[in-house]
Structure formats: structure tokens, C-alpha cells
Amino acid sequence: MTPAPFIPGARIDHHLGSLNFFFIRESTNIRETGGLSTFVQRFLSEVLGILRAHVSSLGGNAVTSYFMSSCILSHVPHKNQAQCLINVGGDIVSVSYVCK
């Protein structure tokens, strides 16, 4: 995954489409699972894993023009709750590396 529209040292063989996903995660046991930072880190890791799986299922092996345009975090400490909304996307491509 790269925010650039190209991958250095690689040739884009096929442009397979674009991604634009919104993900929402909510938890009511923030303190028990490691705190707010652990909640956000796990959520971002899951989002990137879902993105990679989606790219692979469509026959791609890279994402160019990757973006995360919003990440909204809502935390209510006295209720032990948090919510996070993330918008991610990019272009799915199939690339091959050229030997020089």
C-alpha cells in the first residue's frame, strides 16, 4: 500500500478498480482490553487486513493512491466506551517487478 500513484521499480499491469470503505468499531470494555490506544491500534490493523484481503480476492497485489480521509474517535471514559469511524480507499492494481 502506498499513497503514491505508482510503485517504484514496478510496472502496473492492470488497474482492477477503486476501493472506498467506511468501517465502524465500537467497544464497551476499553479498560479491560488495554485502553484507548490498544483499541485504535487493533482497529487499524483489522482495517488494513480487510483491505489486503479484498485486494487479493480481486486479483490484485498492491494498492496505489491509498488514503485515509477521516478517522473519528469518540471516547466516553466514565462509561468505558469508545467508537471509531475510519474511511479508507485507493486503487487496486496488479504489478510486476522489472529486473534491470
Side-chain angles (χ1 to χ4, degrees), residues 1-3 19 21-25 39-57 60-71 84-90 92:
M1 277 184 230
T2 179
L19 298 173
F21 290 129
F22 284 89
F23 294 99
I24 299 173
R25 167 74 75 185
F39 167 73
V40 173
Q41 187 174 15
R42 284 183 182 166
F43 183 45
L44 285 173
S45 178
E46 290 173 4
V47 166
L48 293 176
I50 292 168
L51 226 60
R52 285 191 301 268
H54 196 76
V55 167
S56 179
S57 71
N61 60 358
V63 175
T64 58
S65 303
Y66 169 78
F67 66 87
M68 180 188 299
S69 62
S70 69
C71 179
C84 190
L85 167 74
I86 294 179
N87 177 14
V88 294
I92 305 171

Side-chain angles (χ1 to χ4, degrees), residues 24-27 30 36 39-40 71-77 80-85:
I24 299 173
R25 167 74 75 185
E26 181 177 16
S27 179
I30 296 298
L36 187 62
F39 167 73
V40 173
C71 179
I72 300 170
L73 180 62
S74 172
H75 183 220
V76 186
N80 198 21
Q81 294 178 342
Q83 298 172 338
C84 190
L85 167 74

